[in-house]
Amino acid sequence: MILKPDAMAHSKPHLASAEQQETLGFAPTLSDNWHSEAIELLGEKVSESRALRVAMDACMKCGACTDKCHYFLGTDDPNNMPVARQDLMRSVYQRHYTFTGKYLPWLVGAKELDEDMLDRWYTYFHQCSQCRRCSVYCPVGIDTSEVSMAGRDILASIGMGQKYVNQIIGKVNSKGNNLGLPGPALADTLLGLEEDVLEETGLPVRFPLDDSSAELLLVAPSADFFAEPHVDGLIGYAKVLHQAGISWTLSTHASEAANFGLFVGSEPHTKTMASRIRDAALQLGVKRLVFGECGHAWRVAQNFLPDWVDLDFLDAAYPRPQHIAEVTHELWKTGRIQFDPSKNAERTVTFHDSCNVARATTLGNTRNGHFTVPRDLLKASCDNFVEMSRATTHQSTFCCGGGGGLLTDELLELRIKGATPRMNALAQVVKEHQVTHMVAMCAICKSQFSTVFPEFDLSFDAVLSLHQVLGDALVMGSVR
Amino acid sequence: MGEFIAPLVLVSIVVLTLGSLFRLWRLIRTPVQRYIAISPAPATRFGVLSALLAESFFFPTLFRASVWTWLFGWVFHVCLLLTLIIHLRFFSITPPLLVAWFMPYTSYVSWGLVAGLTGLLARRCLVDRLRYISTPADYLHLLLLLAIAVLGMFLSQSDSVNVYELILYVQSLLRLSSAHLSSNLLLALHVLGACVVFCVYPFSKLFHGPLSWFNPTRSQPRRSRS
């Protein structure tokens, strides 16, 4: 591979407007003091986060991570090697906060945060999807996502926020979801889905909204309400819950599982957005909290939410937030629902492990549940299941190329290039095993793949929601 | 030469100790913000400890990432450990059992040390990706260690050092005094190099070992779901 330094230096997301910045409590634009503000924030962040301190101090430049990032593999730009991405921050940290960096900067490669470096921060911290594949291979476990999150938070705080992510956080705060979809529109969409499913199955499968008699609140990524193939996943959840006879509801107030606050590394925003979910659950008086197919939402729900808010009101049998795949898996295991794989006979499927589920969470209560639960379900509902190369699945899975707040049109070139490693692995099983569909359980993965598939000679609809495959094979009606 | 070396050795040991303690203290004082373990994580504290021990002794993560880096890195670290153990012979006339057991293999160990370091240096110079991320310090760390190792190899294979005299000298250092030590340029350089490493260790990337034990991605056990 021939390195192409700065090959992606032109790829950066649109800056947030001054108004969007102020709405979120960030500086509207760069002030005259931006440099000292940034340096001070950097010092604070490092002293407040052990993960970040280790990232700044422990890298021995061994190179283990250099060929592990999908953006590097897809672009050949060495600035996309995880260590080089960390170095953007590390070199500045050393310049201002270490002895050698202050007095012998040439020796350790310490650099000043000048305008050129600031531009590189904005460019390359927005070429990290925070998927953490590199940290799996780092001998000391340095987490590059912590670096890019901190970098973006500093950028946003001094006046260089990213338009796409800021906009979305604003919409969640005002409307309750990433799309800015108001309650009545949501109710209307759900009504339409009820009609569709009635027509297809002849059964009155409901999509309840703000139903305070429900015992279970389902929080889905808002893409599930309208985007393809997401909506077929939502239909799958509804079929499963209907068939199991569980009373459930969606919420207008918390009509979004995704939490873009995480992508900016802004803890206050992440917390505010996550708190909406607890508020909705309390308001509706539900006893169970279940999340739909969304990777980083599950990370927030499983790892952060229980630390941030009090969830004591949940049923003692289900004291923690659950993932819809866990719920379905348990129902299937206990025989409360059944699958008829012949319904999926036309399909040969493979499974894309989504980065946040694969490397940040678990499913069920077993060590490898996040790998086995979706696979168990897929195999039970489809006879033709094929794995992609082991180097690209499970803990080593490749990011779809659109995660971490990069799922925006102006970054399309990066997204296509970043998808290449996954697409190569998929192309292999398509060729060798005639795989027809790749299944994912993350809203960003699904949106990203349906956009980039045509660039790789695949149809946009070759990506499916996990619960679409499950819903299609679900044995409906009175079978118990 | 003993009087000249003694203060350098003692000061660098103080720097090494206090510097390392400071780095660890500052790290432990830094809060763990969130639960960010890389999953699947071990279920218990004991599991985490075992994984960290395995990581420290066998580098399985590096093995998965790059077999060549693992080979050179592991050989270097193992030989460094053995070298340090063998150096304990200079603390007493009759070496402790463990030390005596390793002493016959001194020349293999020093060759391993040199080979590992040379391999790491060669990778850094020859692999484009590594050259791109390397700073002068990255090369100098390796060159410094390599110089010390080569000097040590010469010393151990020549008769120029009076071991009995050296042991008495080391024991005098432990009493914070300085016995006589015959002049020997190679030995002086070898010890001087080691003093530089002692001083650099707590304040550089060489400290990655202790830091790795406290990284939240690896030190947090899997959380129970119930």
Side-chain angles (χ1 to χ4, degrees):
Chain A
M1 174 186 286
I2 295 165
L3 299 183
K4 298 176 192 151
D6 295 341
M8 291 305 282
H10 60 279
S11 168
K12 51 193 96 178
H14 296 323
L15 277 169
S17 68
E19 196 193 332
Q20 287 166 339
Q21 282 282 95
E22 281 185 313
T23 315
L24 301 190
F26 295 134
T29 48
L30 287 187
S31 72
D32 293 341
N33 277 335
W34 67 265
H35 178 267
S36 50
E37 287 167 15
I39 299 302
E40 198 177 317
L41 270 173
L42 176 59
E44 273 172 32
K45 287 204 158 276
V46 174
S47 63
E48 284 166 5
S49 162
R50 194 181 293 178
L52 197 57
R53 187 179 283 292
V54 173
M56 292 298 103
D57 286 349
C59 176
M60 58 273 198
K61 309 284 181 80
C62 71
C65 63
T66 51
D67 54 353
K68 303 299 184 282
C69 174
H70 52 289
Y71 289 123
F72 169 68
L73 295 172
T75 66
D76 299 340
D77 185 340
N79 298 306
N80 275 327
M81 300 188 300
V83 47
R85 201 182 311 286
Q86 298 157 18
D87 272 343
L88 292 176
M89 182 176 285
R90 191 155 38 227
S91 57
V92 174
Y93 171 75
Q94 287 177 325
R95 184 77 185 85
H96 288 274
Y97 294 100
T98 68
F99 179 84
T100 35
K102 271 183 202 163
Y103 302 105
L104 304 164
W106 56 272
L107 184 65
V108 290
K111 296 202 181 93
E112 189 47 84
L113 181 63
D114 52 17
E115 278 175 29
D116 176 59
M117 183 58 105
L118 188 70
D119 184 56
R120 297 180 89 75
W121 274 33
Y122 190 75
T123 306
Y124 290 105
F125 288 147
H126 287 108
Q127 296 191 27
C128 168
S129 57
Q130 306 173 337
C131 80
R132 310 206 299 163
R133 185 171 196 262
C134 49
S135 48
V136 168
Y137 293 97
C138 174
V140 293
I142 291 174
D143 187 340
T144 310
S145 81
E146 293 292 316
V147 176
S148 72
M149 285 175 192
R152 289 185 196 180
D153 194 19
I154 294 171
L155 285 167
S157 302
I158 63 169
M160 286 181 74
Q162 182 208 354
K163 182 180 168 192
Y164 168 67
V165 170
N166 276 21
Q167 235 170 12
I168 281 182
I169 297 177
K171 281 182 201 165
V172 173
N173 290 339
S174 62
K175 293 278 176 16
N177 56 64
N178 288 1
L179 305 170
L181 206 62
L186 186 56
D188 198 48
T189 306
L190 295 174
L191 220 55
L193 292 178
E194 285 185 3
E195 285 165 15
D196 293 348
V197 179
L198 181 64
E199 203 171 305
E200 179 209 337
T201 63
L203 292 168
V205 174
R206 293 195 54 228
F207 290 75
L209 183 64
D210 298 326
D211 179 351
S212 53
S213 69
E215 64 173 87
L216 180 157
L217 171 63
L218 180 74
V219 186
S222 59
D224 282 6
F225 298 129
F226 85 110
E228 287 286 350
H230 311 60
V231 69
D232 302 303
L234 177 65
I235 292 172
Y237 318 151
K239 285 182 180 172
V240 166
L241 294 169
H242 170 89
Q243 187 61 23
I246 294 172
S247 80
W248 67 287
T249 186
L250 294 157
S251 151
T252 321
H253 185 69
S255 44
E256 182 61 68
N259 192 323
F260 277 35
L262 183 70
F263 299 156
V264 203
S266 163
E267 192 150 308
H269 283 298
T270 319
K271 275 184 184 167
T272 311
M273 293 163 85
S275 301
R276 292 180 73 91
I277 292 167
R278 171 186 179 267
D279 296 345
L282 268 179
Q283 216 171 38
L284 291 166
V286 294
K287 295 285 168 216
R288 285 176 79 176
L289 187 51
V290 174
F291 284 77
E293 296 181 9
C294 178
H296 75 283
W298 182 231
R299 183 179 186 192
V300 174
Q302 183 171 59
N303 296 338
F304 311 147
L305 194 62
D307 290 342
W308 288 344
V309 298
D310 166 23
L311 294 172
D312 285 351
F313 60 90
L314 293 178
D315 189 329
Y318 308 100
R320 300 258 169 184
Q322 286 184 290
H323 192 284
I324 185 69
E326 290 178 313
V327 175
T328 305
H329 192 260
E330 190 191 314
L331 291 169
W332 168 67
K333 273 276 183 197
T334 52
R336 289 176 65 190
I337 57 170
Q338 284 148 27
F339 298 114
D340 172 8
S342 73
K343 300 272 178 58
N344 281 315
E346 308 276 289
R347 291 172 173 152
T348 300
V349 299
T350 188
F351 184 66
H352 166 78
D353 290 281
S354 297
C355 54
N356 274 296
V357 178
R359 286 186 280 264
T361 70
T362 50
L363 288 173
N365 212 358
T366 59
R367 182 176 158 86
N368 290 309
H370 51 310
F371 304 134
T372 57
V373 163
R375 284 173 173 78
D376 285 353
L377 290 170
L378 267 183
K379 287 175 190 164
S381 58
C382 182
D383 286 330
N384 315 310
F385 174 80
V386 176
E387 286 281 8
M388 288 181 279
S389 153
R390 194 63 163 78
T392 74
T393 59
H394 297 75
Q395 202 187 30
S396 303
T397 189
F398 274 115
C399 168
C400 62
L406 308 184
L407 196 73
T408 173
D409 289 345
E410 70 267 26
L411 297 179
L412 194 58
E413 181 199 354
L414 176 79
R415 286 165 52 192
I416 293 168
K417 289 180 172 168
T420 312
R422 166 50 73 226
M423 298 313 296
N424 290 342
L426 177 59
Q428 196 188 342
V429 288
V430 167
K431 194 168 158 225
E432 289 171 10
H433 302 281
Q434 291 75 48
V435 164
T436 59
H437 294 89
M438 182 164 74
V439 177
M441 50 172 195
C442 164
I444 288 177
C445 294
K446 295 173 204 170
S447 298
Q448 157 76 353
F449 286 130
S450 54
T451 306
V452 304
F453 269 8
E455 301 288 332
F456 296 89
D457 298 325
L458 283 166
S459 169
F460 73 95
D461 57 5
V463 57
L464 298 178
S465 296
L466 173 66
H467 271 78
Q468 177 179 358
V469 181
L470 305 182
D472 287 351
L474 187 69
V475 180
M476 304 277 292
S478 49
V479 286
R480 267 176 287 157
Chain B
M1 139 169 148
E3 306 76 14
F4 172 66
I5 285 182
L8 292 177
V9 173
L10 293 174
V11 166
S12 62
I13 287 174
V14 170
V15 171
L16 172 73
T17 314
L18 293 183
S20 300
L21 287 174
F22 168 72
R23 282 289 290 276
L24 279 180
W25 171 77
R26 194 176 62 169
L27 182 72
I28 292 166
R29 219 184 38 154
T30 309
V32 175
Q33 267 183 341
R34 299 189 301 250
Y35 178 79
I36 60 164
I38 300 284
S39 58
T44 59
R45 287 246 149 245
F46 178 76
V48 166
L49 202 66
S50 319
L52 286 171
L53 271 172
E55 193 63 54
S56 297
F57 281 94
F58 303 107
F59 308 176
T61 301
L62 189 55
F63 183 80
R64 273 214 291 170
S66 160
V67 175
W68 283 109
T69 313
W70 174 83
L71 181 70
F72 297 134
W74 190 73
V75 165
F76 159 63
H77 280 87
V78 167
C79 291
L80 179 63
L81 177 65
L82 295 177
T83 304
L84 292 176
I85 292 174
I86 290 170
H87 272 72
L88 295 177
R89 69 176 289 207
F90 299 116
F91 285 80
S92 59
I93 304 286
T94 35
L97 196 64
L98 181 75
V99 179
W101 199 79
F102 284 121
M103 272 167 59
Y105 307 105
T106 301
S107 94
Y108 296 111
V109 169
S110 47
W111 273 112
L113 198 58
V114 170
L117 285 165
T118 309
L120 289 174
L121 188 61
R123 265 188 72 76
R124 200 168 281 292
C125 296
L126 297 176
V127 177
D128 285 353
R129 288 180 277 115
L130 265 87
R131 219 172 36 238
Y132 188 84
I133 53 165
S134 297
T135 62
D138 297 319
Y139 296 103
L140 285 174
H141 284 134
L142 287 171
L143 287 170
L144 178 61
L145 291 168
L146 197 57
I148 299 169
V150 169
L151 284 168
M153 191 158 70
F154 270 120
L155 290 166
S156 69
Q157 284 168 15
S158 73
D159 304 331
S160 69
V161 179
N162 179 341
V163 174
Y164 183 71
E165 186 192 70
L166 183 58
I167 291 171
L168 292 182
Y169 178 72
V170 170
Q171 289 178 338
S172 74
L173 285 183
L174 292 176
R175 294 187 305 269
L176 301 181
S177 61
S178 165
H180 174 75
L181 186 62
S182 310
S183 286
N184 181 330
L185 181 65
L186 294 186
L187 179 63
L189 288 174
H190 180 74
V191 173
L192 209 66
C195 289
V196 173
V197 172
F198 284 3
C199 293
V200 168
Y201 177 79
F203 306 106
S204 67
K205 66 169 193 172
L206 299 185
F207 201 64
H208 58 263
L211 293 180
S212 72
W213 276 70
F214 298 93
N215 197 347
T217 54
R218 297 276 167 78
S219 62
Q220 296 174 301
R222 177 158 61 88
R223 289 174 154 185
S224 166
R225 297 290 309 286
S226 42

